[in-house]
Amino acid sequence: MPSRRDLLRVLPLSVLLPLLSPRLGRAEVSPDSRKFLFLFCKGGWDPTYCFAPIYGSDSVDMERDSEVATIGGLRFVDHGTRPSVRSFFERNHDRTCFVNGFEVPSITHDRCMRLLMTGRNTDGTDDWGSILAGNALTDLPLPYLVMSGPSYTAEYTSSVVRVGSTSQLSQLLDGRALTHLTTPINLPPAGVDAKVDALVRERIAAWQVSSRSARQTRVAERYAASLDKIDAISGDASRFQSVGGVDARWGAFETAVSSLSAGLSRCAIVEYEGLWAQTFDSHSNNSIQSAHFEELFQFLDDLVELLDTTTGVSGEVLSSEVTIVVLSEMGRGPKLNSWAGKDHYTVTSAMLVGGGVRGDRVIGEYDERMLGKPVHLGTGELDSGGTSLVAANFGATLLAAGDVDPAEHLDAPPIEGIF
């Protein structure tokens, strides 16, 4: 008897939806309810291994034995060593969109990450996830869950919750952080701990009733709300435990999805460092990009399957609520260097999958020198008199998709036609 995973890998999703669950349809979700899962590919990927089929140009070195392929409305770079890329698009082209040829005007990793995630090159700015989470309609316990990867915040700092590279969040929730102090504190037995919690709640409730000023009332209400949030996320603190290996990487996705499905978070980010954690920074042996993309799309395939089989707070399948945003801080140069690698490049691509995305679309295109062609922002179509895309246009598009006015945060307008 074939398993659900076997069916997902063989049959088209349109056939499977009625078989798996009556809720697996592509229900429309309002922008203010849309959630975002960022998958950040560390190091700077080479778009010519997937998104940018720039053949016939003397200015661009394409991968040997690769070829252009078209599935639905997507044109991509196909190769026999990357079967997972092709199979992913075969199943998900109708909810996948590429954004090609936008500029991240730097060649240093740190600066490019900030530009990519905030649209600006200055401190004191919030990234897309922080802004979207900070403008959620409901008061969430973990508005923007940072499992790993870059995060920048200023105004919306209170919306960002970092798991920590050594499971700091888990340790804060279950109290182990107190045992790691310079002067360790021994934790009380579970029964005593519960009595202390009950006493604190009783005191806060009494304070709310007896407060004599509006300020005291607000403080008491916020304190009580904070205790409610802690209760909501501390039932299974082990979910935020960091461990090593491939299982940990998939575990990060599972934790992010569980937080989104339970209504704990609006946004989450997970970093993908490539095969064997080598990152995409391929200054030598650029062919490693192929292995990175193959494994990346294996993760993406499993991630979409998880979203397709998980119910969100709305009662609909979670994949209708969550937009997966796949991106990397920079591209790779068009030509191989003397070490058979490619160096940093300021023009790159991103990919959107899932909730609300108009699939079978490629926004933007590379020219024969691997520069981005201008786009009409009102339609998303190529336009010689249009706008050369930058990271801020991409970010503005995400904000608008999440019912946040981009003009309040950026000078660059969004791209229409993606959502």
Side-chain angles (χ1 to χ4, degrees), residues 29-34 36 128 131-132 266 392-410 412-419:
V29 175
S30 62
D32 55 27
S33 300
R34 186 168 292 131
F36 297 84
W128 319 129
I131 297 171
L132 288 161
R266 186 185 193 189
N393 295 118
F394 180 73
T397 305
L398 298 180
L399 297 186
D403 201 35
V404 177
D405 184 0
E408 295 182 2
H409 304 277
L410 296 164
I415 311 162
E416 301 295 336
I418 296 178
F419 290 90

Side-chain angles (χ1 to χ4, degrees), residues 11 16 41 59 103-104 122-123 155 186 199 215 237 240 254 268 318 323 382 390:
L11 297 178
L16 287 169
C41 298
S59 301
E103 188 171 15
V104 184
T122 57
D123 294 336
E155 180 182 352
N186 294 324
L199 178 61
R215 180 180 180 278
F240 304 109
E254 289 182 316
L318 195 59
T323 300
L382 293 177
V390 294

Side-chain angles (χ1 to χ4, degrees), residues 51-94:
F51 312 109
I54 314 172
Y55 292 95
S57 171
D58 293 335
S59 301
V60 180
D61 288 332
M62 295 295 295
E63 178 187 22
R64 183 176 297 177
D65 297 326
S66 67
E67 60 184 4
V68 63
T70 301
I71 296 178
L74 303 181
R75 292 181 72 251
F76 64 98
V77 179
D78 195 19
H79 196 281
T81 61
R82 295 191 296 278
S84 295
V85 177
R86 167 174 277 276
S87 62
F88 179 85
F89 293 142
E90 287 173 344
R91 283 188 287 274
N92 299 290
H93 62 90
D94 59 339

Side-chain angles (χ1 to χ4, degrees), residues 1-20 24 26 86-95 301 304-305 308:
M1 177 95 181
S3 67
R4 181 190 304 245
R5 183 181 296 270
D6 293 333
L7 289 172
L8 282 165
R9 296 193 184 284
V10 174
L11 297 178
L13 191 62
S14 58
V15 174
L16 287 169
L17 287 176
L19 302 176
L20 294 176
L24 290 188
R26 307 276 176 81
R86 167 174 277 276
S87 62
F88 179 85
F89 293 142
E90 287 173 344
R91 283 188 287 274
N92 299 290
H93 62 90
D94 59 339
R95 49 176 165 176
D301 202 32
V304 170
E305 177 187 340
D308 276 341

Side-chain angles (χ1 to χ4, degrees), residues 48-374:
T48 67
Y49 277 73
C50 183
F51 312 109
I54 314 172
Y55 292 95
S57 171
D58 293 335
S59 301
V60 180
D61 288 332
M62 295 295 295
E63 178 187 22
R64 183 176 297 177
D65 297 326
S66 67
E67 60 184 4
V68 63
T70 301
I71 296 178
L74 303 181
R75 292 181 72 251
F76 64 98
V77 179
D78 195 19
H79 196 281
T81 61
R82 295 191 296 278
S84 295
V85 177
R86 167 174 277 276
S87 62
F88 179 85
F89 293 142
E90 287 173 344
R91 283 188 287 274
N92 299 290
H93 62 90
D94 59 339
R95 49 176 165 176
T96 299
C97 175
F98 300 163
V99 181
N100 280 335
F102 66 89
E103 188 171 15
V104 184
S106 178
I107 55 171
T108 64
H109 291 289
D110 289 345
R111 183 170 294 181
C112 281
M113 281 189 281
R114 181 177 289 278
L115 284 164
L116 177 72
M117 303 301 289
T118 72
R120 298 179 180 177
N121 187 29
T122 57
D123 294 336
T125 53
D126 294 280
D127 59 28
W128 319 129
S130 301
I131 297 171
L132 288 161
N135 284 275
L137 291 182
T138 55
D139 190 15
L140 303 170
L142 305 169
Y144 183 25
L145 184 63
V146 179
M147 298 299 301
S148 53
S151 174
Y152 307 93
T153 182
E155 180 182 352
Y156 297 103
T157 299
S158 61
S159 297
V160 180
V161 179
R162 294 175 173 85
V163 170
S165 59
T166 58
S167 305
Q168 291 96 319
L169 177 59
S170 175
Q171 294 172 30
L172 286 169
L173 291 173
D174 63 20
R176 285 177 295 143
L178 296 174
T179 67
H180 298 161
L181 298 174
T182 304
T183 304
I185 297 174
N186 294 324
L187 300 177
V192 174
D193 202 31
K195 291 179 179 179
V196 171
D197 287 345
L199 178 61
V200 170
R201 282 194 169 278
E202 182 182 326
R203 293 289 179 86
I204 292 300
W207 189 23
Q208 285 181 273
V209 174
S210 62
S211 295
R212 297 183 179 180
S213 70
R215 180 180 180 278
Q216 288 177 334
T217 300
R218 286 196 303 272
V219 171
E221 289 174 348
R222 290 174 182 175
Y223 203 128
S226 296
L227 293 177
D228 290 339
K229 290 180 181 180
I230 292 172
D231 285 347
I233 63 177
S234 61
D236 184 12
S238 62
R239 79 169 75 182
F240 304 109
Q241 182 74 30
S242 299
V243 294
V246 174
D247 290 341
R249 292 187 291 169
W250 180 243
F253 287 118
E254 289 182 316
T255 298
V257 169
S258 69
S259 295
L260 294 168
S261 66
L264 301 177
S265 305
R266 186 185 193 189
C267 300
I269 183 170
V270 179
E271 183 173 78
Y272 171 67
E273 294 186 310
L275 188 68
W276 305 310
Q278 292 187 71
T279 82
F280 285 82
D281 199 19
S282 52
H283 291 280
S284 61
N285 185 25
N286 201 60
S287 62
I288 191 63
Q289 293 271 341
S290 184
H292 292 335
F293 273 104
E294 171 64 10
E295 188 186 57
L296 169 64
F297 276 82
Q298 290 172 9
F299 274 114
L300 279 169
D301 202 32
D302 289 338
L303 177 59
V304 170
E305 177 187 340
L306 180 59
L307 293 171
D308 276 341
T309 54
T310 302
T311 303
V313 292
S314 68
E316 300 291 342
V317 64
L318 195 59
S319 58
S320 68
E321 300 179 359
V322 176
T323 300
I324 305 171
V325 183
V326 192
L327 68 180
S328 187
E329 71 262 36
M330 61 177 70
R332 311 307 299 182
K335 299 290 290 183
L336 292 168
N337 60 29
S338 56
W339 297 281
K342 289 186 177 181
D343 299 317
H344 297 176
Y345 198 58
T346 63
V347 185
T348 188
S349 296
M351 184 173 74
L352 301 165
V353 183
V357 176
R358 295 186 190 178
D360 283 323
R361 291 217 68 185
V362 177
I363 303 293
E365 189 176 306
Y366 293 91
D367 66 14
E368 67 281 355
R369 297 178 297 159
M370 205 175 168
L371 298 174
K373 294 182 179 181

